Structure formats: C-alpha cells, structure tokens
C-alpha cells in the first residue's frame, strides 16, 4: 500500500526532514547515471581523461547529487506536488563519498485554497562538509478531508495562512498575494468538519478554519511596498 | 567576456517521449527506489495517473541546443554552478514533451583570479497542446577556448 501522505495541517516551520544517507558513490553509479541522463561528459566516467585535465579522479555530476536531494523531498512530501526545486553546487562529490541529504521547513503559507511549504535543503559528505545547498516549494492538500473534497470535485478547504516569515506583531498584516486570488467560499465547509478541532492545529491561520474565509478587500497596497521601503 | 548578443538565442523545440524504462533507469542510477517510479499500480494507488518521473528527470531530456552555437564560442570547460526547476505539473510515463533551450543571460562575475564568464541557460518543456510542463535553469561557469573549435 502507498505510504501515508503528508498534509499541510501537520507541518510546522522548523520541522526537520528525516535525513537521508545515500550509499557511497562509486564508479558504476557514475556510469549508470551517465547512461540514464545521457550526459557522457568524460570527467564523470573516464578516469584517464579526468586525470588528464588535472582532476584526482572522476567525480559525480552535480545533477546526480541534486537527484539524491530530490529523493529526500519526494520521500518526505508523499502526496505533495513539487513546484520549485533549486540548488547551488558547492563541493565536488568523489567516488567513495557518502552523501547525506537534509532539509528543514522554512515557511508555510496558504491562500485561496492552495497550500505551500518552503524547505531549506542541503547535502553533506561523510566529513560533514556542505556539498550542495538549495530550496524547494511543495504544494500540499490542507488535510485528508481537503484532498477527498477536491478529488470528488468539491471546492477546497480555504484557510488563509500568511507566510510565517512575514508574520509581524502588527495585527492588520495582509498576506502578500491576498487580493489577486480571491478565495472562493467553500460550498458547505461546516458540515463535514466535525472532529479535528483539537489541540494540534497549526499556529497560524487555523482559527479561521471553520469560519468563512476572511475577505481582504483591496489589501494589495498594505504590507509589501512598505516593507520594501523600510529596507532602504 | 561572452557575447551579450547570445542572450535570447534559442533552439527549436525537440520532442522527448517519456518512457517507463527510462524513468526506471534514471531512478535506479540515483539509487531511489520509490515505487511510484517503477510500479504502475502503486503510482495509481498514490493518486497519479501512471508512473511518475523523479524531480530531476528533465536533466535527461535532449534538445537541439548546441551550447557552442548558442553562446557563439568554443568551450574549453563548463562548470555547473546552479540548477533550478519550476514544475507546472509532474512528468508522467507516456508524456510527449517538447523541449527548447534558450540563453537567458550572460554576464561576468568577479572571482579570486579576476572575472569568470557566467551563462544562464533555460530549458522549457511543453506538452503537445502547448501547455507548460516545466522550466529548468542552469547557471554555468564558461571557460571559452582561445580559438573557436
């Protein structure tokens, strides 16, 4: 049976993804990746060539390591949809190196019935040195109920969840995209929503779960431009 | 210094047919044994129409792009500095995706020994109806050959 899915309501900023330690990279894996990706750059597969251009040996293509870190995301975000994934390559990965992939939730936000988590990602070698660093955005259903609603053609559960990184003490802070995608009112949110009002609700936004979505009339002028000016 | 005129140069779309075997071999090469990449029934039970491709699978797509032509220089070496993907939807076995490549930017960045040439190359994948499937963005450190090859 497919693994348990991940839902937005259970995620908190600061949550760590379970670290993924990959098997040591070897030259067979480099050949397999070359074949599978179609990238036959000889620095990754031809030892003599690699040495002739001054390398101690062949080394792993960055994209292989990015693929490993991608596994960390997909293993964690079962049922989610990857929206964005980027990395910066920092250190080479050599045959014999063990890549350990790590990640942490840096933000979560939702608007108009679409929910996203932002993740900081990085990969280390067996010495604990950073070899790659990046980030990702994943779209998730709010909850199992939200998924069931949408899969049966109903409107999504709508909860306005401002980016936690932007949440400031000021009470009237609006979400950045508030005005553009006006949330649609769920047809009958109250009825099916009976028993998950207990203590493990998200810290932000959850209080509005059962009530009709808070409309934010013409909020687009509110917070962002101000924040930009304040930086100067 | 790379030629700024290269910015905007693009290759025509090239058809990539996404095959189950190619997905399997790609996932195996990464050492990722998530059954959604191998097992059609499992993928369906997980809410997908069929077998899914791993996030970096677009790296295996080919396009008609020749970087020497697009950048207008001979290339001595390329160093992959950054990579990013934006996904409109997952890629599935059976997809027919047209990939085109375009030079999005060229510029110089200071480094320890002076300046290095940077090229930003964007791939765009669209389905047969023309809908965007993904965008990929590579940042490359380019060492041009002294003479054109």
């Amino acid at each position: 049976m497919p693994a348990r899915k991940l839902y937005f309501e259970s995620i908190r900023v600061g949550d760590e993804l379970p670290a993924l330690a990959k098997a040591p990279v070897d030259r067979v894996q480099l050949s397999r990746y070359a074949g599978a990706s179609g990238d036959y750059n000889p620095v990754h597969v031809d030892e003599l060539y690699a040495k002739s251009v001054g390398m101690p040996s062949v080394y792993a293509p960055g994209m292989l390591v990015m693929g490993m870190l991608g596994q960390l995301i997909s293993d964690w975000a079962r049922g989610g949809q990857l929206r964005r994934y980027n990395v910066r390559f920092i250190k080479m990965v050599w045959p014999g190196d063990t890549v350990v992939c790590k990640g942490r939730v840096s933000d979560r936000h939702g608007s108009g019935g679409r929910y996203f988590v932002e993740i900081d990602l990085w990969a280390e070698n067996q010495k604990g040195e950073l070899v790659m660093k990046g980030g990702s955005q994943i779209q998730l259903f709010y909850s199992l109920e939200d998924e069931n609603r949408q899969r049966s053609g109903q409107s999504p559960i709508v909860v306005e969840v401002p980016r936690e990184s932007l949440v400031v003490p000021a009470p009237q802070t609006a979400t950045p995209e508030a005005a553009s995608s006006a949330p649609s009112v769920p047809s009958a949110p109250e009825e099916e929503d009976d028993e998950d009002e207990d203590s493990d609700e998200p810290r932000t936004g959850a209080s509005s779960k059962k009530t009709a979505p808070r409309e934010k009339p013409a909020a687009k002028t509110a917070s962002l431009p101000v924040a930009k000016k304040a930086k100067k | 210094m790379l030629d700024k005129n290269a910015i905007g140069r693009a290759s025509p779309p090239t058809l990539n047919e996404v095959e189950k075997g190619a997905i399997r071999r790609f996932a195996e090469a990464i050492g990722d044994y998530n059954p959604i990449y191998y097992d059609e029934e499992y993928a369906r039970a997980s809410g997908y129409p069929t077998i899914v491709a791993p996030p970096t699978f677009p790296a295996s797509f080919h396009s008609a792009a020749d970087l020497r032509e697009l950048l207008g220089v001979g290339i001595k070496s390329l160093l992959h500095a950054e990579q990013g993907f934006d996904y409109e939807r997952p890629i599935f076995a059976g997809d027919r995706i047209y990939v085109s490549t375009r030079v999005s930017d060229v510029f110089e960045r200071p480094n320890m020994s002076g300046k290095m040439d940077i090229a930003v190359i964007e791939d765009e994948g669209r389905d047969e109806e023309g809908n965007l499937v993904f965008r990929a963005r590579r940042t490359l450190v380019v060492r041009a050959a002294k003479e054109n090859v």
Side-chain angles (χ1 to χ4, degrees):
Chain A
M1 274 309 290
R4 199 174 160 278
K5 289 186 182 177
L6 185 72
Y7 293 108
F8 183 82
E9 64 177 355
S10 66
I11 298 168
R12 301 292 177 275
V13 170
D15 283 356
E16 292 197 5
L17 282 60
L20 171 69
K22 297 294 293 177
V25 170
D26 63 25
R27 288 171 177 76
V28 174
Q29 183 173 28
L30 298 185
S31 310
R32 293 177 87 160
Y33 188 80
S37 69
D39 175 5
Y40 288 99
N41 187 335
V43 293
H44 304 310
V45 287
D46 182 338
E47 194 77 15
L48 293 178
Y49 177 86
K51 286 182 168 160
S52 78
V53 295
M55 293 294 165
S57 80
V58 290
Y59 59 95
M63 290 307 298
L64 170 58
V65 186
M66 188 178 188
M68 295 173 176
L69 200 50
Q71 179 183 354
L72 176 80
I73 310 172
S74 332
D75 280 355
W76 180 72
R78 305 235 173 190
Q81 192 180 338
L82 191 55
R83 285 296 177 189
R84 197 186 60 237
Y85 176 27
N86 23 266
V87 300
R88 197 153 51 83
F89 303 108
I90 293 168
K91 233 176 151 29
M92 283 174 183
V93 171
W94 306 96
D97 280 357
T98 303
V99 174
V100 182
C101 303
K102 299 183 178 179
R104 185 185 296 124
V105 176
S106 63
D107 210 347
R108 64 198 289 283
H109 50 99
S111 177
R114 285 155 50 94
Y115 303 95
F116 302 93
V117 293
E118 311 280 339
I119 306 173
D120 288 336
L121 295 162
W122 65 99
E124 297 168 1
N125 62 19
Q126 66 283 1
K127 296 176 213 154
E129 298 166 325
L130 193 64
V131 296
M132 198 172 78
K133 185 174 159 32
S136 176
Q137 185 189 63
I138 298 155
Q139 185 175 359
L140 296 166
F141 289 110
Y142 188 85
S143 59
L144 175 60
E145 185 201 336
D146 182 37
E147 175 169 11
N148 289 338
R149 286 179 64 95
Q150 295 198 45
R151 288 200 189 279
S152 64
Q154 293 178 270
S155 58
I157 291 177
V158 179
V159 182
E160 293 301 314
V161 185
R163 282 177 180 266
E164 284 203 11
S165 58
L166 295 183
V167 173
V168 288
Q172 78 282 26
T173 308
T175 50
E177 315 94 317
S180 57
S181 54
S184 58
V185 182
S187 46
E190 261 81 31
E191 294 163 15
E192 330 172 25
D193 201 14
D194 34 19
E195 58 196 358
D196 50 1
E197 183 106 52
D198 43 23
S199 56
D200 65 355
E201 291 290 337
R203 273 173 289 147
T204 48
S207 57
S208 63
K209 190 182 172 192
K210 283 197 164 179
T211 57
R214 282 193 289 256
E215 291 291 343
K216 296 190 171 61
K220 64 181 164 195
T221 53
S223 61
L224 271 193
V226 178
K228 256 181 204 164
K229 265 177 210 161
K231 263 185 200 164
K232 285 188 177 175
Chain B
M1 175 72 190
L2 293 170
D3 183 3
K4 285 271 184 194
N5 290 324
I7 297 171
R9 241 175 246 159
S11 72
T14 304
L15 174 63
N16 283 261
E17 298 184 71
V18 179
E19 294 162 2
K20 285 178 201 168
I23 291 177
R24 190 186 69 237
R25 280 187 292 274
F26 192 86
E28 279 173 352
I30 291 170
D32 186 344
Y33 297 99
N34 189 333
I36 61 172
Y37 306 138
Y38 303 85
D39 181 337
E40 190 144 0
E41 255 173 57
Y42 186 98
R44 272 202 287 264
S46 304
Y48 300 106
T50 180
I51 285 171
V52 188
T56 57
F57 189 73
S60 73
F61 288 159
H62 54 96
S63 84
D66 179 327
L67 282 185
R68 290 174 206 81
E69 271 174 34
L70 287 182
L71 294 173
V73 291
I75 291 169
K76 189 169 170 218
S77 74
L78 289 174
L79 186 71
H80 200 172
E82 291 167 31
Q83 176 75 40
F85 294 100
D86 290 296
Y87 307 93
E88 207 55 39
R89 65 162 174 86
I91 293 167
F92 300 112
D95 273 342
R96 292 164 59 84
I97 297 182
Y98 289 85
V99 179
S100 56
T101 300
R102 154 177 185 282
V103 179
S104 145
D105 201 2
V106 297
F107 57 94
E108 285 182 328
R109 191 183 278 174
N111 69 353
M112 283 171 290
S113 56
K115 284 173 182 165
M116 54 187 179
D117 285 318
I118 308 288
V120 182
I121 309 293
E122 263 183 20
D123 294 320
E124 187 182 272
R126 291 185 178 273
D127 66 18
E128 288 188 294
E129 287 78 47
N131 301 312
L132 185 67
V133 178
F134 73 90
R135 273 188 224 282
R137 199 176 159 83
R138 284 173 275 170
T139 303
L140 304 170
V141 180
V142 181
R143 284 174 67 204
K146 289 275 179 334
E147 299 295 323
N148 283 1
V149 285

